[in-house]
Coordinates of all heavy atoms in Angstrom, one line a residue:
D252 N 0.9 -1.2 0.0 CA 0.0 0.0 0.0 C 0.9 1.2 0.0 O 1.8 1.3 0.8 CB -0.9 0.0 1.2 CG -1.9 1.0 1.2 OD1 -2.4 1.4 0.1 OD2 -2.3 1.5 2.3
E253 N 0.6 2.1 -0.9 CA 1.5 3.3 -1.0 C 0.6 4.5 -1.6 O -0.5 4.2 -2.1 CB 2.7 3.0 -1.9 CG 2.3 2.6 -3.3 CD 3.5 2.1 -4.2 OE1 4.6 2.2 -3.7 OE2 3.2 1.7 -5.3
D254 N 1.1 5.7 -1.5 CA 0.5 6.8 -2.1 C 0.6 6.7 -3.6 O 1.5 6.1 -4.2 CB 1.1 8.1 -1.6 CG 0.8 8.4 -0.1 OD1 -0.3 8.0 0.3 OD2 1.7 8.9 0.5
D255 N -0.3 7.4 -4.3 CA -0.2 7.6 -5.8 C 1.2 8.3 -6.0 O 1.7 9.0 -5.2 CB -1.3 8.4 -6.3 CG -2.6 7.8 -6.2 OD1 -2.7 6.6 -6.0 OD2 -3.6 8.5 -6.4
Q256 N 1.8 8.0 -7.2 CA 3.1 8.6 -7.5 C 3.0 9.3 -8.8 O 2.1 9.1 -9.6 CB 4.1 7.5 -7.6 CG 4.3 6.8 -6.2 CD 5.1 5.5 -6.3 OE1 5.0 4.8 -7.3 NE2 5.9 5.2 -5.3
T257 N 3.9 10.3 -9.0 CA 3.8 11.0 -10.3 C 5.2 11.0 -11.0 O 6.2 10.8 -10.4 CB 3.5 12.5 -10.0 OG1 4.5 13.0 -9.1 CG2 2.2 12.7 -9.4
V258 N 5.1 11.1 -12.3 CA 6.2 11.2 -13.2 C 6.1 12.6 -13.9 O 5.0 12.9 -14.4 CB 6.2 10.1 -14.3 CG1 7.4 10.3 -15.2 CG2 6.2 8.7 -13.7
V259 N 7.0 13.4 -13.7 CA 7.0 14.7 -14.3 C 8.0 14.8 -15.5 O 9.2 14.4 -15.3 CB 7.4 15.8 -13.3 CG1 7.4 17.2 -14.0 CG2 6.4 15.8 -12.1
V260 N 7.5 15.1 -16.7 CA 8.4 15.1 -17.9 C 8.4 16.5 -18.5 O 7.3 17.2 -18.6 CB 7.8 14.1 -19.0 CG1 8.7 14.1 -20.2 CG2 7.6 12.7 -18.4
E261 N 9.6 17.0 -18.8 CA 9.7 18.3 -19.4 C 10.8 18.3 -20.5 O 11.6 17.4 -20.5 CB 9.9 19.4 -18.4 CG 11.2 19.2 -17.5 CD 11.3 20.2 -16.5 OE1 10.7 20.0 -15.4 OE2 12.0 21.3 -16.7
I262 N 10.7 19.2 -21.4 CA 11.7 19.3 -22.4 C 13.0 19.8 -21.8 O 13.0 20.9 -21.2 CB 11.2 20.2 -23.6 CG1 10.0 19.5 -24.2 CG2 12.3 20.4 -24.6 CD1 9.4 20.4 -25.3
S263 N 14.1 19.1 -22.0 CA 15.4 19.6 -21.5 C 16.1 20.4 -22.6 O 16.9 21.3 -22.3 CB 16.2 18.5 -20.9 OG 16.5 17.5 -21.9
S264 N 15.9 20.0 -23.8 CA 16.6 20.7 -24.9 C 15.9 20.3 -26.2 O 15.3 19.2 -26.3 CB 18.1 20.4 -25.0 OG 18.3 19.1 -25.3
V265 N 16.1 21.1 -27.3 CA 15.5 20.8 -28.6 C 16.6 21.0 -29.6 O 17.3 22.0 -29.6 CB 14.3 21.7 -28.9 CG1 13.8 21.4 -30.3 CG2 13.2 21.5 -27.9
L266 N 16.9 20.0 -30.5 CA 17.9 20.1 -31.5 C 17.2 20.5 -32.8 O 16.2 19.8 -33.2 CB 18.7 18.8 -31.7 CG 19.8 18.8 -32.7 CD1 20.9 19.8 -32.4 CD2 20.3 17.4 -32.8
N267 N 17.6 21.5 -33.5 CA 17.1 21.9 -34.8 C 15.6 22.4 -34.7 O 14.8 22.2 -35.5 CB 17.2 20.8 -35.9 CG 18.6 20.5 -36.2 OD1 19.5 21.4 -36.2 ND2 18.9 19.2 -36.4
G268 N 15.3 23.0 -33.5 CA 13.9 23.5 -33.3 C 14.0 24.4 -32.0 O 15.0 24.5 -31.4
T269 N 12.8 24.9 -31.6 CA 12.7 25.7 -30.4 C 11.5 25.2 -29.6 O 10.5 24.8 -30.2 CB 12.6 27.2 -30.7 OG1 11.4 27.4 -31.5 CG2 13.8 27.8 -31.4
E270 N 11.7 25.3 -28.3 CA 10.6 24.9 -27.4 C 9.6 26.0 -27.4 O 9.9 27.2 -27.3 CB 11.2 24.7 -26.0 CG 10.1 24.3 -25.0 CD 10.7 24.0 -23.6 OE1 12.0 24.1 -23.5 OE2 10.0 23.6 -22.7
S271 N 8.3 25.7 -27.5 CA 7.2 26.7 -27.5 C 6.8 26.9 -26.1 O 5.9 26.3 -25.5 CB 6.0 26.1 -28.3 OG 4.9 27.0 -28.2
G272 N 7.6 27.9 -25.4 CA 7.3 28.1 -24.0 C 7.9 27.0 -23.2 O 8.5 26.1 -23.7
E273 N 7.7 27.0 -21.9 CA 8.1 25.9 -21.1 C 7.1 24.8 -21.1 O 5.9 25.0 -20.9 CB 8.3 26.3 -19.6 CG 9.5 27.3 -19.5 CD 9.9 27.5 -18.0 OE1 9.6 26.6 -17.2 OE2 10.4 28.6 -17.7
Q274 N 7.6 23.6 -21.4 CA 6.7 22.4 -21.5 C 6.9 21.5 -20.4 O 8.0 21.1 -20.1 CB 7.0 21.7 -22.8 CG 6.9 22.5 -24.1 CD 5.5 22.9 -24.4 OE1 4.6 22.1 -24.4 NE2 5.3 24.2 -24.6
Q275 N 5.8 21.1 -19.7 CA 5.9 20.1 -18.6 C 4.6 19.3 -18.6 O 3.5 19.9 -18.6 CB 6.2 20.8 -17.3 CG 6.4 19.9 -16.2 CD 6.7 20.6 -14.9 OE1 5.8 21.2 -14.3 NE2 7.9 20.6 -14.4
Q276 N 4.7 18.0 -18.4 CA 3.5 17.2 -18.3 C 3.7 16.3 -17.1 O 4.8 15.8 -16.8 CB 3.3 16.3 -19.6 CG 3.0 17.1 -20.8 CD 1.7 17.9 -20.7 OE1 0.7 17.3 -20.2 NE2 1.8 19.1 -21.2
T277 N 2.6 16.0 -16.4 CA 2.6 15.2 -15.2 C 1.7 14.0 -15.5 O 0.6 14.1 -15.9 CB 2.1 15.9 -14.0 OG1 2.9 17.1 -13.8 CG2 2.1 15.1 -12.7
I278 N 2.2 12.8 -15.2 CA 1.5 11.5 -15.3 C 1.4 11.0 -13.8 O 2.4 10.9 -13.1 CB 2.3 10.5 -16.2 CG1 2.5 11.1 -17.5 CG2 1.5 9.2 -16.2 CD1 3.6 10.5 -18.3
T279 N 0.2 10.6 -13.4 CA 0.0 10.0 -12.1 C -0.2 8.5 -12.2 O -1.0 8.0 -13.0 CB -1.3 10.7 -11.4 OG1 -1.1 12.1 -11.4 CG2 -1.5 10.1 -10.0
I280 N 0.6 7.8 -11.4 CA 0.5 6.4 -11.3 C -0.4 6.1 -10.1 O -0.1 6.4 -8.9 CB 1.8 5.7 -11.1 CG1 2.8 6.1 -12.3 CG2 1.7 4.2 -10.9 CD1 4.2 5.7 -12.0
L281 N -1.6 5.6 -10.3 CA -2.6 5.3 -9.2 C -2.3 4.0 -8.5 O -2.2 3.0 -9.2 CB -4.0 5.3 -9.8 CG -4.5 6.6 -10.6 CD1 -5.8 6.3 -11.2 CD2 -4.5 7.8 -9.6
D282 N -2.2 4.1 -7.2 CA -1.9 2.9 -6.4 C -3.1 2.0 -6.4 O -4.2 2.4 -6.2 CB -1.5 3.3 -5.0 CG -1.3 2.1 -4.1 OD1 -0.6 1.2 -4.5 OD2 -1.9 2.0 -3.0
D283 N -2.9 0.7 -6.7 CA -4.1 -0.2 -6.7 C -3.9 -1.3 -5.6 O -4.6 -2.3 -5.6 CB -4.3 -0.8 -8.1 CG -3.1 -1.7 -8.5 OD1 -2.1 -1.8 -7.8 OD2 -3.2 -2.3 -9.6
D284 N -2.9 -1.1 -4.7 CA -2.7 -2.1 -3.7 C -3.7 -1.9 -2.6 O -4.0 -0.8 -2.2 CB -1.3 -1.9 -3.1 CG -0.2 -2.1 -4.1 OD1 -0.4 -2.9 -5.0 OD2 0.9 -1.4 -4.0
A285 N -4.2 -3.0 -2.1 CA -5.2 -3.0 -0.9 C -4.4 -2.6 0.3 O -3.3 -2.9 0.5 CB -5.8 -4.3 -0.8
A286 N -5.1 -1.9 1.2 CA -4.5 -1.5 2.5 C -4.3 -2.9 3.3 O -5.1 -3.8 3.2 CB -5.5 -0.6 3.3
P287 N -3.3 -2.9 4.1 CA -3.0 -4.2 4.8 C -4.1 -4.4 5.9 O -4.7 -3.4 6.4 CB -1.6 -3.9 5.5 CG -1.5 -2.4 5.5 CD -2.3 -1.9 4.4
S288 N -4.3 -5.6 6.3 CA -5.2 -5.9 7.4 C -4.4 -6.0 8.7 O -3.2 -6.1 8.7 CB -5.9 -7.2 7.2 OG -5.1 -8.3 7.1
V289 N -5.0 -5.8 9.8 CA -4.4 -5.7 11.1 C -4.9 -6.8 12.0 O -6.1 -7.0 12.1 CB -4.6 -4.3 11.8 CG1 -3.9 -4.3 13.2 CG2 -4.2 -3.2 10.9
T290 N -4.0 -7.5 12.7 CA -4.3 -8.5 13.7 C -3.8 -8.0 15.1 O -2.6 -7.6 15.2 CB -3.7 -9.9 13.4 OG1 -4.1 -10.2 12.1 CG2 -4.0 -10.9 14.4
L291 N -4.6 -8.1 16.1 CA -4.3 -7.7 17.4 C -4.1 -8.9 18.3 O -4.9 -9.8 18.3 CB -5.3 -6.8 18.0 CG -5.1 -6.1 19.4 CD1 -3.9 -5.2 19.3 CD2 -6.3 -5.4 19.9
S292 N -3.0 -8.9 19.1 CA -2.7 -10.1 20.0 C -2.2 -9.5 21.3 O -1.7 -8.4 21.4 CB -1.8 -11.1 19.3 OG -0.5 -10.5 19.1
V293 N -2.2 -10.4 22.3 CA -1.6 -10.0 23.6 C -0.6 -11.1 24.0 O -0.8 -12.3 23.8 CB -2.7 -9.8 24.7 CG1 -3.4 -11.1 25.0 CG2 -2.1 -9.2 26.0
D294 N 0.5 -10.7 24.6 CA 1.6 -11.7 24.9 C 1.2 -12.5 26.2 O 1.5 -13.7 26.3 CB 2.9 -11.0 25.1 CG 3.0 -10.1 26.4 OD1 1.9 -9.6 26.8 OD2 4.1 -9.8 26.8
I295 N 0.4 -11.9 27.1 CA 0.0 -12.6 28.3 C -1.4 -12.2 28.6 O -1.7 -11.1 28.9 CB 0.9 -12.2 29.5 CG1 2.4 -12.5 29.3 CG2 0.5 -12.9 30.8 CD1 3.3 -11.9 30.3
P296 N -2.3 -13.2 28.7 CA -3.7 -12.9 28.9 C -4.1 -12.6 30.3 O -5.2 -12.0 30.6 CB -4.5 -14.1 28.4 CG -3.5 -15.2 28.5 CD -2.2 -14.6 28.3
S297 N -3.2 -12.9 31.3 CA -3.5 -12.7 32.7 C -2.2 -12.1 33.3 O -1.1 -12.6 33.1 CB -3.8 -14.0 33.5 OG -5.0 -14.6 32.9
I298 N -2.4 -11.0 34.1 CA -1.3 -10.3 34.7 C -1.5 -10.1 36.2 O -2.7 -10.0 36.6 CB -0.9 -9.0 34.0 CG1 -2.1 -8.0 34.0 CG2 -0.4 -9.2 32.6 CD1 -1.8 -6.7 33.5
A299 N -0.4 -10.0 37.0 CA -0.5 -9.8 38.4 C -1.0 -8.4 38.7 O -0.7 -7.5 38.0 CB 0.8 -10.0 39.1
E300 N -1.8 -8.2 39.8 CA -2.4 -6.9 40.1 C -1.3 -5.9 40.5 O -1.4 -4.8 40.2 CB -3.4 -7.1 41.3 CG -4.0 -5.8 41.6 CD -5.1 -5.9 42.7 OE1 -4.9 -6.7 43.6 OE2 -6.1 -5.3 42.6
A301 N -0.2 -6.4 41.1 CA 0.8 -5.5 41.5 C 1.9 -5.2 40.5 O 3.0 -5.7 40.5 CB 1.5 -6.1 42.8
G302 N 1.5 -4.5 39.4 CA 2.5 -4.1 38.4 C 2.7 -5.0 37.3 O 3.6 -4.9 36.5
G303 N 1.8 -6.0 37.1 CA 1.9 -6.9 36.0 C 1.8 -6.2 34.7 O 1.1 -5.2 34.6
V304 N 2.5 -6.6 33.6 CA 2.5 -5.9 32.4 C 2.1 -6.9 31.2 O 2.6 -8.0 31.2 CB 3.9 -5.3 32.1 CG1 3.9 -4.6 30.7 CG2 4.2 -4.3 33.1
A305 N 1.2 -6.4 30.4 CA 0.8 -7.2 29.2 C 1.1 -6.3 28.0 O 0.9 -5.0 28.1 CB -0.7 -7.5 29.2
V306 N 1.6 -6.9 26.9 CA 1.9 -6.1 25.7 C 0.9 -6.5 24.6 O 0.8 -7.7 24.2 CB 3.4 -6.4 25.2 CG1 3.7 -5.7 24.0 CG2 4.4 -6.1 26.3
L307 N 0.2 -5.5 24.1 CA -0.7 -5.7 23.0 C 0.1 -5.4 21.7 O 0.8 -4.4 21.7 CB -1.9 -4.7 23.1 CG -2.9 -5.0 24.2 CD1 -3.8 -3.8 24.4 CD2 -3.7 -6.2 23.8
K308 N 0.0 -6.2 20.7 CA 0.8 -6.1 19.5 C -0.2 -6.1 18.3 O -1.0 -7.0 18.2 CB 1.8 -7.3 19.4 CG 2.7 -7.2 18.2 CD 3.7 -8.4 18.3 CE 4.8 -8.3 17.3 NZ 5.7 -9.4 17.4
A309 N -0.1 -5.1 17.5 CA -0.8 -5.0 16.2 C 0.1 -5.3 15.1 O 1.2 -4.7 15.0 CB -1.4 -3.6 16.0
V310 N -0.2 -6.3 14.3 CA 0.6 -6.8 13.2 C -0.1 -6.6 11.9 O -1.2 -7.0 11.7 CB 1.0 -8.3 13.4 CG1 1.9 -8.8 12.3 CG2 1.7 -8.5 14.8
L311 N 0.6 -6.1 10.9 CA 0.1 -5.9 9.6 C 0.3 -7.1 8.7 O 1.2 -7.9 8.9 CB 0.8 -4.7 8.8 CG 0.7 -3.3 9.5 CD1 1.5 -2.3 8.6 CD2 -0.7 -2.9 9.5
S312 N -0.7 -7.4 7.8 CA -0.6 -8.5 6.9 C 0.5 -8.4 5.9 O 1.1 -9.3 5.5 CB -1.9 -8.7 6.2 OG -2.2 -7.5 5.4
E313 N 0.9 -7.1 5.7 CA 2.1 -6.8 4.8 C 2.5 -5.4 5.2 O 1.7 -4.6 5.6 CB 1.8 -7.0 3.4 CG 0.6 -6.1 2.8 CD 0.3 -6.5 1.4 OE1 -0.6 -7.4 1.2 OE2 0.8 -5.8 0.5
V314 N 3.8 -5.1 4.9 CA 4.3 -3.8 5.2 C 3.7 -2.8 4.3 O 3.5 -3.0 3.1 CB 5.9 -3.9 5.1 CG1 6.5 -2.5 5.2 CG2 6.5 -4.8 6.1
S315 N 3.5 -1.6 4.9 CA 2.9 -0.5 4.1 C 3.9 0.6 3.9 O 4.8 0.8 4.8 CB 1.6 0.0 4.8 OG 1.1 1.2 4.1
E316 N 3.8 1.4 2.9 CA 4.7 2.6 2.7 C 4.0 3.8 3.4 O 4.6 4.9 3.4 CB 4.9 2.9 1.3 CG 5.8 1.8 0.6 CD 6.2 2.2 -0.8 OE1 6.1 3.4 -1.2 OE2 6.7 1.4 -1.5
K317 N 2.9 3.6 4.1 CA 2.2 4.6 4.8 C 2.2 4.3 6.3 O 2.2 3.1 6.7 CB 0.8 4.8 4.4 CG 0.6 5.1 3.0 CD -0.9 5.1 2.7 CE -1.2 5.3 1.2 NZ -2.7 5.2 0.9
D318 N 2.2 5.3 7.2 CA 2.0 5.0 8.6 C 0.6 4.5 8.8 O -0.4 5.0 8.2 CB 2.2 6.3 9.4 CG 3.6 6.8 9.5 OD1 4.5 6.1 9.1 OD2 3.8 7.9 10.0
V319 N 0.4 3.5 9.6 CA -0.9 2.9 9.9 C -1.2 3.2 11.4 O -0.4 2.8 12.2 CB -1.0 1.4 9.6 CG1 -2.3 0.8 10.0 CG2 -0.7 1.1 8.1
T320 N -2.4 3.8 11.7 CA -2.8 4.1 13.1 C -3.9 3.2 13.4 O -4.9 3.2 12.7 CB -3.2 5.5 13.2 OG1 -2.0 6.4 12.9 CG2 -3.6 5.8 14.7
V321 N -3.8 2.4 14.5 CA -4.8 1.5 15.0 C -5.3 2.1 16.3 O -4.6 2.1 17.3 CB -4.2 0.1 15.3 CG1 -5.3 -0.9 15.8 CG2 -3.5 -0.5 14.0
S322 N -6.5 2.6 16.2 CA -7.2 3.2 17.4 C -7.8 2.1 18.3 O -8.4 1.2 17.7 CB -8.3 4.2 17.0 OG -7.7 5.3 16.3
L323 N -7.6 2.2 19.6 CA -8.1 1.2 20.5 C -9.2 1.7 21.4 O -9.2 2.8 21.8 CB -6.9 0.7 21.4 CG -5.6 0.2 20.6 CD1 -4.5 0.0 21.6 CD2 -5.9 -1.1 19.9
A324 N -10.2 0.8 21.7 CA -11.2 1.1 22.6 C -11.0 0.2 23.8 O -10.7 -1.0 23.6 CB -12.6 0.8 22.0
F325 N -11.2 0.7 25.0 CA -11.0 -0.1 26.2 C -12.3 -0.2 27.0 O -13.0 0.7 27.1 CB -9.9 0.6 27.1 CG -8.6 0.7 26.5 CD1 -8.3 1.7 25.6 CD2 -7.6 -0.3 26.7 CE1 -7.0 1.8 25.0 CE2 -6.3 -0.2 26.1 CZ -6.1 0.8 25.2
G326 N -12.6 -1.4 27.5 CA -13.8 -1.7 28.2 C -13.5 -2.7 29.3 O -12.4 -2.9 29.7
G327 N -14.6 -3.4 29.7 CA -14.4 -4.5 30.7 C -14.8 -3.9 32.1 O -15.3 -2.8 32.3
T328 N -14.5 -4.7 33.1 CA -14.8 -4.4 34.5 C -13.7 -3.6 35.2 O -13.9 -3.0 36.2 CB -15.1 -5.6 35.3 OG1 -14.0 -6.5 35.3 CG2 -16.3 -6.4 34.8
A329 N -12.5 -3.6 34.6 CA -11.4 -2.8 35.2 C -11.5 -1.4 34.9 O -11.9 -1.0 33.8 CB -10.0 -3.4 34.7
T330 N -11.2 -0.5 35.8 CA -11.3 0.9 35.6 C -9.9 1.5 35.3 O -8.9 1.3 36.1 CB -11.9 1.6 36.9 OG1 -13.1 1.0 37.2 CG2 -12.0 3.1 36.7
F331 N -9.8 2.3 34.2 CA -8.6 2.9 33.9 C -8.2 3.9 35.0 O -9.0 4.6 35.5 CB -8.7 3.7 32.5 CG -7.5 4.5 32.2 CD1 -6.3 4.0 31.8 CD2 -7.6 5.9 32.3 CE1 -5.2 4.7 31.5 CE2 -6.5 6.7 32.0 CZ -5.3 6.1 31.6
G332 N -6.9 3.9 35.4 CA -6.4 4.7 36.4 C -6.5 4.0 37.8 O -5.5 4.1 38.5
D333 N -7.6 3.4 38.1 CA -7.7 2.7 39.4 C -7.1 1.3 39.3 O -6.5 0.8 40.3 CB -9.2 2.6 39.8 CG -9.8 3.9 40.2 OD1 -9.0 4.9 40.6 OD2 -11.0 4.1 40.1
D334 N -7.4 0.6 38.2 CA -7.0 -0.8 38.1 C -5.9 -1.0 37.1 O -5.2 -2.0 37.2 CB -8.2 -1.7 37.7 CG -9.4 -1.6 38.7 OD1 -9.1 -1.8 39.9 OD2 -10.5 -1.3 38.3
Y335 N -5.7 -0.1 36.2 CA -4.7 -0.3 35.1 C -4.3 1.0 34.5 O -5.1 2.0 34.6 CB -5.1 -1.3 34.1 CG -6.1 -0.8 33.1 CD1 -5.8 -0.2 31.9 CD2 -7.5 -0.8 33.4 CE1 -6.7 0.3 31.0 CE2 -8.4 -0.3 32.5 CZ -8.0 0.2 31.3 OH -9.0 0.7 30.4
S336 N -3.1 1.0 33.9 CA -2.7 2.2 33.1 C -2.3 1.6 31.7 O -2.2 0.4 31.6 CB -1.5 2.9 33.8 OG -0.3 2.0 33.8
R337 N -2.2 2.5 30.8 CA -1.9 2.1 29.4 C -0.9 3.1 28.9 O -0.9 4.3 29.2 CB -3.1 2.0 28.6 CG -3.9 3.3 28.5 CD -5.2 3.2 27.8 NE -5.9 4.5 27.8 CZ -7.1 4.7 28.2 NH1 -7.9 3.7 28.6 NH2 -7.7 5.9 28.2
S338 N 0.0 2.6 28.0 CA 1.0 3.5 27.4 C 0.5 4.4 26.3 O 1.1 5.4 26.0 CB 2.2 2.6 26.8 OG 1.7 1.8 25.8
A339 N -0.7 4.0 25.7 CA -1.3 4.8 24.6 C -2.7 4.3 24.3 O -3.1 3.2 24.8 CB -0.4 4.8 23.4
T340 N -3.5 5.1 23.6 CA -4.8 4.7 23.2 C -4.8 4.3 21.7 O -5.9 4.0 21.2 CB -5.8 5.8 23.4 OG1 -5.4 7.0 22.7 CG2 -5.9 6.1 24.9
S341 N -3.7 4.3 21.1 CA -3.6 3.9 19.7 C -2.2 3.3 19.5 O -1.3 3.6 20.2 CB -3.9 5.0 18.7 OG -3.0 6.0 18.8
I342 N -2.1 2.5 18.4 CA -0.8 1.9 18.0 C -0.5 2.5 16.7 O -1.3 2.4 15.7 CB -0.9 0.4 18.0 CG1 -1.2 -0.2 19.3 CG2 0.5 -0.2 17.4 CD1 -1.5 -1.7 19.3
V343 N 0.7 3.2 16.5 CA 1.1 3.7 15.3 C 2.2 2.8 14.7 O 3.2 2.5 15.4 CB 1.6 5.1 15.4 CG1 2.1 5.6 14.0 CG2 0.6 6.0 15.9
I344 N 1.9 2.2 13.6 CA 2.9 1.3 12.9 C 3.5 2.2 11.8 O 2.8 2.6 10.8 CB 2.2 0.1 12.3 CG1 1.5 -0.7 13.4 CG2 3.3 -0.8 11.6 CD1 0.6 -1.8 12.9
L345 N 4.7 2.5 11.9 CA 5.4 3.4 11.0 C 5.6 2.8 9.6 O 5.7 1.5 9.5 CB 6.8 3.9 11.6 CG 6.7 4.6 12.9 CD1 8.1 4.9 13.4 CD2 5.9 5.9 12.7
A346 N 5.6 3.6 8.6 CA 5.8 3.1 7.2 C 7.1 2.2 7.2 O 8.1 2.6 7.8 CB 6.0 4.3 6.3
G347 N 7.0 1.1 6.5 CA 8.1 0.2 6.4 C 8.2 -0.8 7.6 O 9.0 -1.7 7.5
Q348 N 7.4 -0.6 8.6 CA 7.4 -1.5 9.8 C 6.3 -2.5 9.7 O 5.3 -2.2 9.0 CB 7.3 -0.8 11.1 CG 8.5 0.2 11.3 CD 9.8 -0.4 11.4 OE1 10.0 -1.4 12.2 NE2 10.8 0.1 10.7
S349 N 6.3 -3.6 10.4 CA 5.2 -4.6 10.3 C 4.4 -4.7 11.5 O 3.3 -5.3 11.5 CB 5.8 -6.0 10.0 OG 6.7 -6.4 11.0
F350 N 4.8 -4.0 12.6 CA 4.0 -4.1 13.9 C 4.3 -2.9 14.8 O 5.2 -2.2 14.6 CB 4.3 -5.4 14.6 CG 5.6 -5.5 15.3 CD1 5.8 -5.1 16.6 CD2 6.7 -5.9 14.6 CE1 7.0 -5.1 17.2 CE2 8.0 -6.0 15.2 CZ 8.1 -5.6 16.5
G351 N 3.4 -2.8 15.8 CA 3.6 -1.8 16.8 C 2.9 -2.3 18.1 O 2.2 -3.3 18.1
T352 N 3.3 -1.7 19.2 CA 2.8 -2.2 20.5 C 2.3 -1.1 21.4 O 2.6 0.0 21.3 CB 3.9 -3.0 21.3 OG1 4.9 -2.1 21.6 CG2 4.4 -4.2 20.5
V353 N 1.4 -1.6 22.4 CA 1.0 -0.8 23.5 C 1.1 -1.7 24.8 O 0.8 -2.9 24.7 CB -0.5 -0.3 23.3 CG1 -1.1 0.2 24.6 CG2 -0.6 0.8 22.3
T354 N 1.4 -1.1 25.9 CA 1.5 -1.9 27.1 C 0.3 -1.5 28.1 O -0.1 -0.4 28.1 CB 2.8 -1.7 27.9 OG1 3.0 -0.3 28.2 CG2 4.0 -2.2 27.1
I355 N -0.2 -2.5 28.8 CA -1.2 -2.4 29.8 C -0.5 -2.8 31.1 O 0.1 -3.9 31.2 CB -2.4 -3.3 29.6 CG1 -3.0 -3.0 28.3 CG2 -3.4 -3.2 30.8 CD1 -3.6 -1.7 28.1
T356 N -0.5 -1.9 32.1 CA 0.1 -2.2 33.4 C -0.9 -2.2 34.5 O -1.7 -1.3 34.7 CB 1.2 -1.2 33.8 OG1 2.2 -1.2 32.7 CG2 1.9 -1.5 35.1
A357 N -1.0 -3.3 35.3 CA -2.0 -3.4 36.4 C -1.5 -2.5 37.5 O -0.3 -2.3 37.8 CB -2.1 -4.8 36.9
V358 N -2.5 -1.9 38.2 CA -2.3 -1.0 39.4 C -2.8 -1.7 40.6 O -3.9 -2.2 40.7 CB -3.0 0.3 39.2 CG1 -2.9 1.2 40.4 CG2 -2.5 1.0 37.9
Q359 N -1.9 -1.7 41.6 CA -2.3 -2.3 42.9 C -3.4 -1.4 43.6 O -3.2 -0.2 43.7 CB -1.1 -2.4 43.9 CG -1.4 -3.0 45.2 CD -1.8 -4.5 45.1 OE1 -1.1 -5.3 44.5 NE2 -2.8 -4.9 45.8
D360 N -4.5 -2.0 43.9 CA -5.6 -1.1 44.6 C -6.1 -1.8 45.8 O -5.8 -2.9 46.1 CB -6.7 -0.8 43.6 CG -7.4 -2.0 43.1 OD1 -7.0 -3.1 43.3 OD2 -8.4 -1.8 42.3

């Protein structure tokens, strides 16, 4: 997956003739690659209340030439701040990379 790309062509010189003003043409190559799919996994499904850490990993089906942002929604019976903290609310997978992570840390209450 990549952005559309352009080819810019212009006259650099003319032999035995003259250029009629400045000539420049742009051709756009339209990207037809599908956006990659994302799979979310966790390294440990259960963590200790006193500072246990779980790592959520978002993996792309294939590397993209664009940054991919995976927004996360949090729910369940645990309360953010009282029961756990998180390193972010989204995972940004940078162009050229195949995965990104967010950590969940349990809080002793």
Side-chain angles (χ1 to χ4, degrees):
D252 188 32
E253 59 189 353
D254 291 326
D255 294 344
Q256 298 168 325
T257 59
V258 177
V259 178
V260 181
E261 58 185 86
I262 295 173
S263 62
S264 67
V265 177
L266 181 63
N267 297 325
T269 59
E270 181 177 359
S271 177
E273 289 191 28
Q274 304 291 311
Q275 186 179 69
Q276 297 296 320
T277 301
I278 302 161
T279 301
I280 302 168
L281 302 174
D282 177 48
D283 65 354
D284 300 326
S288 60
V289 180
T290 302
L291 186 66
S292 63
V293 64
D294 67 338
I295 301 172
S297 299
I298 57 177
E300 184 176 40
V304 177
V306 178
L307 291 163
K308 185 176 187 179
V310 179
L311 297 178
S312 58
E313 57 187 89
V314 173
S315 176
E316 288 190 16
K317 300 177 187 177
D318 291 350
V319 175
T320 301
V321 181
S322 298
L323 304 171
F325 297 84
T328 59
T330 302
F331 173 69
D333 291 335
D334 300 310
Y335 73 95
S336 65
R337 59 188 179 229
S338 61
T340 58
S341 63
I342 298 172
V343 178
I344 305 169
L345 299 176
Q348 301 296 312
S349 61
F350 71 92
T352 62
V353 164
T354 58
I355 303 295
T356 304
V358 174
Q359 180 71 47
D360 60 356

